Amino acid sequence: MNLNEAKKRVEALRREINEHNRLYYVLNQPVISDFEYDLLVHELETLEKRFPELASDDSPTRVVGSDLTREFVQYRHKYPMLSLSNTYSEEELNDFNRRVTEQAGMQVQYVCEPKFDGASISITYRNGRLFRALTRGDGTSGDDVTRNILTIKSIPAVIKGDDYPQEFTIRGEILLSRNVFDELNRERASLGLQLFANPRNAAAGTLKLLDSEVVASRKLDCFLYYLLGEQLPFGTHYENILKAKEWGFQVTSHIVLCNGIDEVKSFISYWEEARKKLEFDTDGVVVKVNSLEIQEKLGNTAKSPRWAIAYKYKAEQALTRLLSVDFQVGRTGSVTPVANLEPVALGGTTVKRASLHNADQIALLDLHYNDMVYVEKGGEIIPKIVGVNSEMREKDSRPVEFVTNCPECGTELVRVENEANHYCPNYMHCPPQIKGRIEHFISRKAMNIEGLGEETIELLYNKGLVRNIADIYDLRKEDLIRLERMGEKSVNNLLAGIENSKKTPFPRVLYALGIRHVGETVAKTIAGHFPDIDRLMSANQEELTAIDEIGPKIAASIIAYFRDEENAEIIVKLKKHGIRLAMEQQSKPVSGGRLAGLSIVISGVFRHHTREEYKELIEKNGGRNVSSVTPGTSFILAGENMGPSKKSKAESLGIRLVSEDEFLRMIG
Ligand code: IVH
């Protein structure tokens, strides 16, 4: 390769890597695996070394990818937030050890810990209290996500004990456990929202939400792994981390002190398998020099410390033949291509099917029938096709084409602009969509009808007994008892469950309807403004978008839902069956309730109850919840991090701030 060719390739690589950085850090929607990404970076590094005249300070080999957005205030990191150099090979691990040993002039102790796959966070504490939390950003400045961080239970707002430095910074990874992730995606699927590809993307996306209440409902978690400051308690990483645990931080229990590189290697090989059983995704092991003095001596490159390295596990791959492609229609009408493969052993199981995501993915792979394809088991449970061996392609093999019509009902598919998926628009009559809506309706967070599983719904649907959610309330004992696998007892239980569901409060019924984009939180908000379904059904776009949190997309979806005649009929039937389609009459506050006559503003983030719950508590006790601070305001129920404008207004008007605990004491 001559200089000119190298220059072209270097430029192309930089463009490509920068685009992948944006997809990963800003959009949380990476399109290639970490391994493929690391290969690109490695190629760029090699070229920059070979042709030093092409080096540049803003090359992605020297600067970390940025997660900065316009939505948050940004602050500078007191200590730059570097990345880690990483490797997939034992050889490079040996090189690392050699460099460290040489520079240190002796054998060193290493600390090994799992490498958590989430979004990194840097939190500063002052005088024992959480002061500010920043994302990595571009490594120099980060987005201020303090309000969101305060909703995470495993991050202390106040430090335990009294032996902490006046100021310190602690860094860690924001995560979503696999269980919480599955639950979140299940809920999103039933609402027709785009699914998160893996827990990391879900965690990173959640961290950047503007509504802290939604963040709180997502159950983020955090492991802390790096302490920085001028007066740290100990001279070693290991002891400092144990101290952080005493202060109330969650640190991994799988942290190990290693004497020499061989112990490091045993740790790495142990966790290659064991990590699969952890509650959280990990993608490798981080190896750090234990002594802070030696760390300092080794120093940093522009992008990463020389005293640490990440050993990453390669996703396991197998090569097999593509036999055919099925197009599956999901509960929301989205059509997913699924590959049928010649069975092949991969990571302890036999793989016969793999996800192909969407039409773009098929085009990107340039997939042909009978191709030999590489399948990989990544963070996701379902294996995916990551590449094609085009040299092994048979002559005149046919390219895989996406179906044009719904394989379930024959309707022509549509593709919404800027969305990756094809949808079947036959919302009312496409069988999987009908069954999906019924499943959502009866689910735990919706009407919570026990005794009606996926299989029973399938059966009831096939027998023509249930064709929409309202039909559930027409089911009679004699219909059910005739079904296979339904004994007297389970029929009775089911009927009791159906009867019981009539007590479900209005906001949950609204959620249960399965209106696209109307999740639990949105349903609650809407019910707060439209206390019965008739008022909601006659609301127009303007009235709906006047509500905070309701944008044009949600409003349009609500209007379209009720405009549909069949939906309107379903509502009439539900009403006839006594389903709650209006808010309960507020039980009149006891006259002279503890907050009678008081106007109270709620502001900030809370620990014990949600904002909605506090609103209810205020009303129950005879008070009035008002939104803006005026001279007539009695006091402010102030959570953590209340809005700065409300705070200064309250100060200037001399209005008292009442903490959450104090408020709870007030109402007894
Ligand atoms: S230590 C100077 N320890 O991986 C960097 N990082 O790819 C010190 N990460 O930026 C970081 N688990 O966001 C450290 N146990 C762990 C980690 C960890 C995950 C993240 C972190 C880092 C990134 C590098």
Side-chain angles (χ1 to χ4, degrees), residues 24-25 80-86 112-121 136 171-175 223-226 228 237 252 283-288 300 303-305 307-308 310 312:
Y24 184 91
Y25 288 110
M81 216 163 157
L82 303 177
S83 143
L84 282 174
S85 58
N86 62 42
C112 289
E113 343 165 353
K115 182 172 184 319
F116 294 104
D117 198 10
S120 40
I121 191 75
R136 179 210 300 275
R171 290 184 180 162
E173 204 80 352
I174 303 294
L175 304 162
F223 279 102
L224 286 310
Y225 47 60
Y226 186 24
L228 294 121
H237 171 68
T252 173
D283 57 349
V285 165
V286 181
V287 184
K288 303 173 193 174
N300 307 318
K303 200 179 165 184
S304 47
W307 45 263
K312 298 224 289 191

Short mmCIF file of all heavy atoms in Angstrom, two decimals, residues 24-25 80-86 112-121 136 171-175 223-226 228 237 252 283-288 300 303-305 307-308 310 312, ligand 1:
data_model
loop_
_atom_site.label_atom_id
_atom_site.label_comp_id
_atom_site.label_asym_id
_atom_site.label_seq_id
_atom_site.Cartn_x
_atom_site.Cartn_y
_atom_site.Cartn_z
N TYR A 24 -23.60 4.01 18.41
CA TYR A 24 -23.46 3.33 19.70
C TYR A 24 -23.72 4.27 20.87
O TYR A 24 -24.53 4.00 21.74
CB TYR A 24 -22.05 2.75 19.78
CG TYR A 24 -21.76 1.93 21.01
CD1 TYR A 24 -21.98 0.55 21.01
CD2 TYR A 24 -21.25 2.51 22.17
CE1 TYR A 24 -21.69 -0.22 22.13
CE2 TYR A 24 -20.97 1.76 23.29
CZ TYR A 24 -21.19 0.39 23.26
OH TYR A 24 -20.91 -0.36 24.38
N TYR A 25 -23.03 5.41 20.88
CA TYR A 25 -23.07 6.28 22.06
C TYR A 25 -24.26 7.23 22.10
O TYR A 25 -24.73 7.58 23.16
CB TYR A 25 -21.78 7.11 22.17
CG TYR A 25 -20.58 6.29 22.58
CD1 TYR A 25 -19.56 6.03 21.69
CD2 TYR A 25 -20.50 5.77 23.87
CE1 TYR A 25 -18.46 5.28 22.07
CE2 TYR A 25 -19.41 5.01 24.26
CZ TYR A 25 -18.39 4.77 23.35
OH TYR A 25 -17.33 4.02 23.73
N PRO A 80 -10.19 13.62 33.34
CA PRO A 80 -10.75 13.18 32.06
C PRO A 80 -11.22 11.72 32.15
O PRO A 80 -10.66 10.93 32.90
CB PRO A 80 -9.59 13.33 31.08
CG PRO A 80 -8.38 13.57 31.89
CD PRO A 80 -8.82 14.10 33.22
N MET A 81 -12.26 11.43 31.40
CA MET A 81 -12.82 10.09 31.47
C MET A 81 -12.31 9.29 30.28
O MET A 81 -12.81 9.41 29.16
CB MET A 81 -14.34 10.20 31.45
CG MET A 81 -14.97 9.18 32.32
SD MET A 81 -16.65 9.62 32.66
CE MET A 81 -17.28 8.01 33.07
N LEU A 82 -11.29 8.49 30.55
CA LEU A 82 -10.62 7.78 29.47
C LEU A 82 -11.35 6.48 29.16
O LEU A 82 -12.26 6.06 29.85
CB LEU A 82 -9.17 7.48 29.86
CG LEU A 82 -8.34 8.71 30.22
CD1 LEU A 82 -6.96 8.28 30.67
CD2 LEU A 82 -8.26 9.68 29.05
N SER A 83 -10.89 5.88 28.09
CA SER A 83 -11.45 4.58 27.72
C SER A 83 -10.39 3.53 28.09
O SER A 83 -9.37 3.86 28.67
CB SER A 83 -11.78 4.69 26.24
OG SER A 83 -11.53 3.52 25.60
N LEU A 84 -10.62 2.29 27.76
CA LEU A 84 -9.63 1.25 28.07
C LEU A 84 -9.12 0.66 26.77
O LEU A 84 -9.89 0.47 25.84
CB LEU A 84 -10.29 0.12 28.86
CG LEU A 84 -10.56 0.32 30.33
CD1 LEU A 84 -11.34 -0.87 30.87
CD2 LEU A 84 -9.25 0.45 31.09
N SER A 85 -7.83 0.35 26.72
CA SER A 85 -7.39 -0.38 25.53
C SER A 85 -7.85 -1.81 25.72
O SER A 85 -7.93 -2.31 26.84
CB SER A 85 -5.88 -0.29 25.36
OG SER A 85 -5.25 -0.80 26.49
N ASN A 86 -8.17 -2.46 24.62
CA ASN A 86 -8.68 -3.81 24.81
C ASN A 86 -8.04 -4.82 23.89
O ASN A 86 -7.39 -4.46 22.91
CB ASN A 86 -10.21 -3.84 24.69
CG ASN A 86 -10.67 -3.42 23.33
OD1 ASN A 86 -10.08 -3.81 22.33
ND2 ASN A 86 -11.71 -2.60 23.29
N CYS A 112 -8.46 -7.97 39.16
CA CYS A 112 -9.33 -8.36 38.04
C CYS A 112 -10.79 -8.23 38.45
O CYS A 112 -11.16 -8.57 39.57
CB CYS A 112 -9.08 -9.82 37.67
SG CYS A 112 -7.50 -10.08 36.88
N GLU A 113 -11.59 -7.73 37.55
CA GLU A 113 -13.04 -7.64 37.78
C GLU A 113 -13.75 -7.87 36.46
O GLU A 113 -13.16 -7.67 35.41
CB GLU A 113 -13.46 -6.26 38.30
CG GLU A 113 -12.36 -5.48 38.81
CD GLU A 113 -12.60 -4.00 39.01
OE1 GLU A 113 -13.64 -3.46 38.64
OE2 GLU A 113 -11.68 -3.42 39.56
N PRO A 114 -15.00 -8.24 36.53
CA PRO A 114 -15.76 -8.38 35.28
C PRO A 114 -15.85 -7.02 34.59
O PRO A 114 -15.87 -5.99 35.26
CB PRO A 114 -17.15 -8.81 35.73
CG PRO A 114 -17.02 -9.23 37.15
CD PRO A 114 -15.82 -8.56 37.71
N LYS A 115 -15.88 -7.03 33.29
CA LYS A 115 -16.11 -5.80 32.54
C LYS A 115 -17.61 -5.71 32.26
O LYS A 115 -18.15 -6.51 31.51
CB LYS A 115 -15.33 -5.81 31.24
CG LYS A 115 -15.49 -4.54 30.43
CD LYS A 115 -14.53 -4.55 29.25
CE LYS A 115 -14.55 -3.27 28.45
NZ LYS A 115 -15.83 -2.66 28.21
N PHE A 116 -18.25 -4.79 32.94
CA PHE A 116 -19.71 -4.66 32.81
C PHE A 116 -20.07 -3.97 31.50
O PHE A 116 -19.40 -3.01 31.11
CB PHE A 116 -20.27 -3.87 33.99
CG PHE A 116 -20.11 -4.60 35.28
CD1 PHE A 116 -19.12 -4.23 36.18
CD2 PHE A 116 -20.91 -5.69 35.57
CE1 PHE A 116 -18.95 -4.93 37.36
CE2 PHE A 116 -20.75 -6.38 36.75
CZ PHE A 116 -19.77 -6.01 37.65
N ASP A 117 -21.11 -4.45 30.87
CA ASP A 117 -21.50 -3.90 29.58
C ASP A 117 -22.70 -2.98 29.76
O ASP A 117 -23.84 -3.42 29.68
CB ASP A 117 -21.83 -5.06 28.62
CG ASP A 117 -21.82 -4.60 27.18
OD1 ASP A 117 -21.37 -3.48 26.92
OD2 ASP A 117 -22.25 -5.38 26.32
N GLY A 118 -22.42 -1.73 30.04
CA GLY A 118 -23.51 -0.77 30.25
C GLY A 118 -23.08 0.60 29.77
O GLY A 118 -22.39 0.71 28.75
N ALA A 119 -23.47 1.63 30.50
CA ALA A 119 -23.07 2.99 30.15
C ALA A 119 -22.28 3.55 31.32
O ALA A 119 -22.70 3.43 32.47
CB ALA A 119 -24.31 3.85 29.90
N SER A 120 -21.13 4.18 31.03
CA SER A 120 -20.31 4.60 32.17
C SER A 120 -20.81 5.92 32.75
O SER A 120 -21.40 6.75 32.08
CB SER A 120 -18.84 4.68 31.80
OG SER A 120 -18.69 5.21 30.52
N ILE A 121 -20.53 6.06 34.05
CA ILE A 121 -21.01 7.24 34.78
C ILE A 121 -19.92 7.71 35.73
O ILE A 121 -19.13 6.90 36.20
CB ILE A 121 -22.30 6.88 35.57
CG1 ILE A 121 -22.98 8.12 36.11
CG2 ILE A 121 -22.02 5.90 36.71
CD1 ILE A 121 -23.71 8.91 35.08
N ARG A 136 -20.02 9.90 30.27
CA ARG A 136 -18.67 10.04 29.76
C ARG A 136 -18.56 11.24 28.81
O ARG A 136 -17.57 11.94 28.79
CB ARG A 136 -18.25 8.77 29.03
CG ARG A 136 -16.86 8.88 28.46
CD ARG A 136 -16.69 8.05 27.21
NE ARG A 136 -16.95 6.66 27.48
CZ ARG A 136 -16.02 5.85 27.95
NH1 ARG A 136 -14.81 6.28 28.17
NH2 ARG A 136 -16.32 4.61 28.19
N ARG A 171 -16.49 6.19 39.78
CA ARG A 171 -16.99 5.85 38.45
C ARG A 171 -17.50 4.42 38.40
O ARG A 171 -17.01 3.57 39.13
CB ARG A 171 -15.90 6.06 37.40
CG ARG A 171 -15.67 7.54 37.24
CD ARG A 171 -14.68 7.89 36.19
NE ARG A 171 -14.57 9.36 36.16
CZ ARG A 171 -13.59 10.03 35.62
NH1 ARG A 171 -12.61 9.38 35.02
NH2 ARG A 171 -13.58 11.33 35.64
N GLY A 172 -18.46 4.21 37.54
CA GLY A 172 -19.02 2.88 37.44
C GLY A 172 -19.84 2.73 36.19
O GLY A 172 -19.78 3.57 35.30
N GLU A 173 -20.60 1.67 36.16
CA GLU A 173 -21.36 1.34 34.97
C GLU A 173 -22.84 1.26 35.32
O GLU A 173 -23.21 0.60 36.28
CB GLU A 173 -20.86 -0.02 34.46
CG GLU A 173 -21.08 -0.26 33.00
CD GLU A 173 -20.05 0.42 32.09
OE1 GLU A 173 -19.21 1.21 32.58
OE2 GLU A 173 -20.12 0.17 30.89
N ILE A 174 -23.66 1.95 34.54
CA ILE A 174 -25.11 1.89 34.72
C ILE A 174 -25.62 0.70 33.91
O ILE A 174 -25.31 0.57 32.73
CB ILE A 174 -25.78 3.19 34.22
CG1 ILE A 174 -25.19 4.39 34.94
CG2 ILE A 174 -27.28 3.11 34.37
CD1 ILE A 174 -25.48 4.45 36.41
N LEU A 175 -26.40 -0.14 34.58
CA LEU A 175 -26.80 -1.40 33.96
C LEU A 175 -28.28 -1.68 34.12
O LEU A 175 -28.93 -1.10 34.99
CB LEU A 175 -26.05 -2.56 34.65
CG LEU A 175 -24.54 -2.49 34.67
CD1 LEU A 175 -24.00 -3.42 35.73
CD2 LEU A 175 -23.99 -2.85 33.32
N PHE A 223 -22.86 -0.73 39.17
CA PHE A 223 -21.69 -1.20 39.89
C PHE A 223 -20.59 -0.16 39.77
O PHE A 223 -20.35 0.37 38.68
CB PHE A 223 -21.19 -2.54 39.30
CG PHE A 223 -21.98 -3.71 39.80
CD1 PHE A 223 -22.95 -4.29 39.01
CD2 PHE A 223 -21.76 -4.20 41.08
CE1 PHE A 223 -23.69 -5.36 39.48
CE2 PHE A 223 -22.50 -5.28 41.56
CZ PHE A 223 -23.47 -5.85 40.76
N LEU A 224 -19.94 0.16 40.90
CA LEU A 224 -18.89 1.16 40.91
C LEU A 224 -17.53 0.47 40.91
O LEU A 224 -17.37 -0.56 41.59
CB LEU A 224 -19.02 2.03 42.15
CG LEU A 224 -20.15 3.06 42.19
CD1 LEU A 224 -20.15 3.90 40.91
CD2 LEU A 224 -21.51 2.46 42.38
N TYR A 225 -16.58 1.01 40.13
CA TYR A 225 -15.32 0.28 40.01
C TYR A 225 -14.07 1.15 39.98
O TYR A 225 -12.98 0.67 39.69
CB TYR A 225 -15.34 -0.61 38.77
CG TYR A 225 -15.84 0.05 37.51
CD1 TYR A 225 -15.21 1.16 36.98
CD2 TYR A 225 -16.96 -0.46 36.85
CE1 TYR A 225 -15.66 1.76 35.83
CE2 TYR A 225 -17.43 0.15 35.69
CZ TYR A 225 -16.77 1.26 35.19
OH TYR A 225 -17.22 1.85 34.05
N TYR A 226 -14.20 2.43 40.28
CA TYR A 226 -13.01 3.27 40.15
C TYR A 226 -13.18 4.53 40.99
O TYR A 226 -14.14 5.27 40.81
CB TYR A 226 -12.86 3.64 38.66
CG TYR A 226 -11.60 4.39 38.27
CD1 TYR A 226 -10.44 4.32 39.04
CD2 TYR A 226 -11.57 5.14 37.10
CE1 TYR A 226 -9.30 5.01 38.65
CE2 TYR A 226 -10.43 5.82 36.69
CZ TYR A 226 -9.30 5.74 37.48
OH TYR A 226 -8.17 6.41 37.09
N LEU A 228 -11.58 8.14 42.41
CA LEU A 228 -10.58 9.17 42.11
C LEU A 228 -10.70 10.31 43.10
O LEU A 228 -11.80 10.63 43.55
CB LEU A 228 -10.84 9.76 40.73
CG LEU A 228 -10.64 8.84 39.53
CD1 LEU A 228 -11.93 8.73 38.75
CD2 LEU A 228 -9.55 9.39 38.65
N HIS A 237 -5.88 0.23 44.62
CA HIS A 237 -7.22 0.19 44.04
C HIS A 237 -8.13 -0.74 44.85
O HIS A 237 -9.26 -0.39 45.19
CB HIS A 237 -7.11 -0.29 42.58
CG HIS A 237 -8.42 -0.58 41.93
ND1 HIS A 237 -9.31 0.41 41.64
CD2 HIS A 237 -8.99 -1.75 41.53
CE1 HIS A 237 -10.38 -0.13 41.07
NE2 HIS A 237 -10.22 -1.43 41.00
N THR A 252 -18.71 -4.99 42.76
CA THR A 252 -18.88 -6.40 42.44
C THR A 252 -18.20 -7.26 43.51
O THR A 252 -17.14 -6.90 44.03
CB THR A 252 -18.30 -6.74 41.06
OG1 THR A 252 -18.35 -8.16 40.89
CG2 THR A 252 -16.87 -6.29 40.90
N ASP A 283 -18.77 -8.31 29.19
CA ASP A 283 -18.20 -8.70 27.90
C ASP A 283 -16.70 -8.94 27.99
O ASP A 283 -16.02 -9.00 26.99
CB ASP A 283 -18.54 -7.67 26.82
CG ASP A 283 -18.08 -6.27 27.20
OD1 ASP A 283 -17.68 -6.06 28.35
OD2 ASP A 283 -18.12 -5.37 26.33
N GLY A 284 -16.19 -9.05 29.21
CA GLY A 284 -14.77 -9.33 29.35
C GLY A 284 -14.34 -9.17 30.79
O GLY A 284 -15.17 -9.20 31.70
N VAL A 285 -13.02 -8.99 30.95
CA VAL A 285 -12.46 -8.80 32.28
C VAL A 285 -11.57 -7.56 32.21
O VAL A 285 -10.87 -7.36 31.22
CB VAL A 285 -11.62 -10.04 32.69
CG1 VAL A 285 -10.72 -9.75 33.87
CG2 VAL A 285 -12.53 -11.22 32.98
N VAL A 286 -11.63 -6.73 33.26
CA VAL A 286 -10.74 -5.58 33.29
C VAL A 286 -9.58 -5.91 34.24
O VAL A 286 -9.81 -6.38 35.35
CB VAL A 286 -11.45 -4.30 33.76
CG1 VAL A 286 -10.49 -3.11 33.76
CG2 VAL A 286 -12.64 -4.00 32.85
N VAL A 287 -8.36 -5.70 33.75
CA VAL A 287 -7.17 -5.99 34.54
C VAL A 287 -6.52 -4.65 34.89
O VAL A 287 -6.20 -3.88 33.99
CB VAL A 287 -6.19 -6.85 33.72
CG1 VAL A 287 -4.98 -7.24 34.56
CG2 VAL A 287 -6.90 -8.09 33.17
N LYS A 288 -6.36 -4.38 36.19
CA LYS A 288 -5.80 -3.09 36.60
C LYS A 288 -4.60 -3.30 37.51
O LYS A 288 -4.62 -4.20 38.36
CB LYS A 288 -6.83 -2.27 37.38
CG LYS A 288 -8.11 -2.03 36.66
CD LYS A 288 -9.14 -1.38 37.57
CE LYS A 288 -10.50 -1.45 36.90
NZ LYS A 288 -11.58 -0.99 37.76
N ASN A 300 -0.92 7.75 31.31
CA ASN A 300 -1.97 7.50 30.31
C ASN A 300 -1.50 7.83 28.91
O ASN A 300 -0.63 8.67 28.74
CB ASN A 300 -3.17 8.41 30.57
CG ASN A 300 -3.66 8.30 32.00
OD1 ASN A 300 -3.74 7.21 32.55
ND2 ASN A 300 -3.96 9.45 32.58
N LYS A 303 -5.87 8.37 25.05
CA LYS A 303 -7.20 7.76 25.08
C LYS A 303 -7.41 6.82 26.27
O LYS A 303 -8.55 6.60 26.69
CB LYS A 303 -7.38 7.00 23.77
CG LYS A 303 -8.82 6.72 23.43
CD LYS A 303 -8.92 5.98 22.10
CE LYS A 303 -10.30 5.38 21.93
NZ LYS A 303 -10.40 4.60 20.71
N SER A 304 -6.33 6.22 26.77
CA SER A 304 -6.54 5.21 27.82
C SER A 304 -5.35 5.09 28.75
O SER A 304 -4.22 5.43 28.38
CB SER A 304 -6.84 3.86 27.16
OG SER A 304 -5.90 3.63 26.15
N PRO A 305 -5.59 4.60 29.98
CA PRO A 305 -4.48 4.44 30.91
C PRO A 305 -3.56 3.30 30.48
O PRO A 305 -4.03 2.33 29.89
CB PRO A 305 -5.19 4.10 32.23
CG PRO A 305 -6.53 3.61 31.87
CD PRO A 305 -6.88 4.20 30.55
N TRP A 307 -2.07 1.54 32.66
CA TRP A 307 -2.02 0.61 33.79
C TRP A 307 -3.22 -0.36 33.81
O TRP A 307 -3.42 -1.09 34.77
CB TRP A 307 -1.95 1.37 35.11
CG TRP A 307 -2.91 2.53 35.22
CD1 TRP A 307 -2.62 3.83 34.98
CD2 TRP A 307 -4.30 2.49 35.58
NE1 TRP A 307 -3.74 4.62 35.16
CE2 TRP A 307 -4.77 3.82 35.53
CE3 TRP A 307 -5.18 1.47 35.95
CZ2 TRP A 307 -6.10 4.15 35.84
CZ3 TRP A 307 -6.50 1.81 36.24
CH2 TRP A 307 -6.95 3.13 36.18
N ALA A 308 -4.01 -0.30 32.76
CA ALA A 308 -5.17 -1.20 32.73
C ALA A 308 -5.42 -1.68 31.33
O ALA A 308 -5.03 -1.04 30.35
CB ALA A 308 -6.40 -0.47 33.25
N ALA A 310 -8.51 -4.16 29.00
CA ALA A 310 -9.72 -4.99 29.03
C ALA A 310 -9.47 -6.21 28.16
O ALA A 310 -9.08 -6.06 27.00
CB ALA A 310 -10.91 -4.20 28.51
N LYS A 312 -11.34 -8.93 26.24
CA LYS A 312 -12.73 -9.14 25.85
C LYS A 312 -12.93 -10.54 25.29
O LYS A 312 -12.06 -11.08 24.60
CB LYS A 312 -13.15 -8.10 24.81
CG LYS A 312 -13.05 -6.69 25.40
CD LYS A 312 -14.22 -5.80 25.07
CE LYS A 312 -14.33 -5.36 23.67
NZ LYS A 312 -15.32 -4.31 23.44
S1 IVH B 1 -12.07 0.74 35.03
C1 IVH B 1 -9.64 4.55 32.96
N1 IVH B 1 -13.54 -1.36 35.46
O1 IVH B 1 -15.39 -0.17 30.09
C2 IVH B 1 -10.71 3.55 32.80
N2 IVH B 1 -14.07 -0.01 33.56
O2 IVH B 1 -14.26 0.01 27.46
C3 IVH B 1 -11.01 2.87 34.10
N3 IVH B 1 -16.03 -0.79 32.30
O3 IVH B 1 -14.61 3.22 30.27
C4 IVH B 1 -12.20 2.07 33.96
N4 IVH B 1 -16.47 -2.51 33.57
O4 IVH B 1 -16.97 2.36 31.13
C5 IVH B 1 -13.33 -0.30 34.65
N5 IVH B 1 -14.77 -3.24 36.01
C6 IVH B 1 -14.58 -2.19 35.21
C7 IVH B 1 -15.38 -1.92 34.08
C8 IVH B 1 -15.10 -0.81 33.28
C9 IVH B 1 -16.85 -1.82 32.50
C10 IVH B 1 -16.20 0.17 31.18
C11 IVH B 1 -15.86 1.59 31.49
C12 IVH B 1 -14.70 1.89 30.60
C13 IVH B 1 -15.02 1.00 29.45
C14 IVH B 1 -13.87 0.77 28.52
#
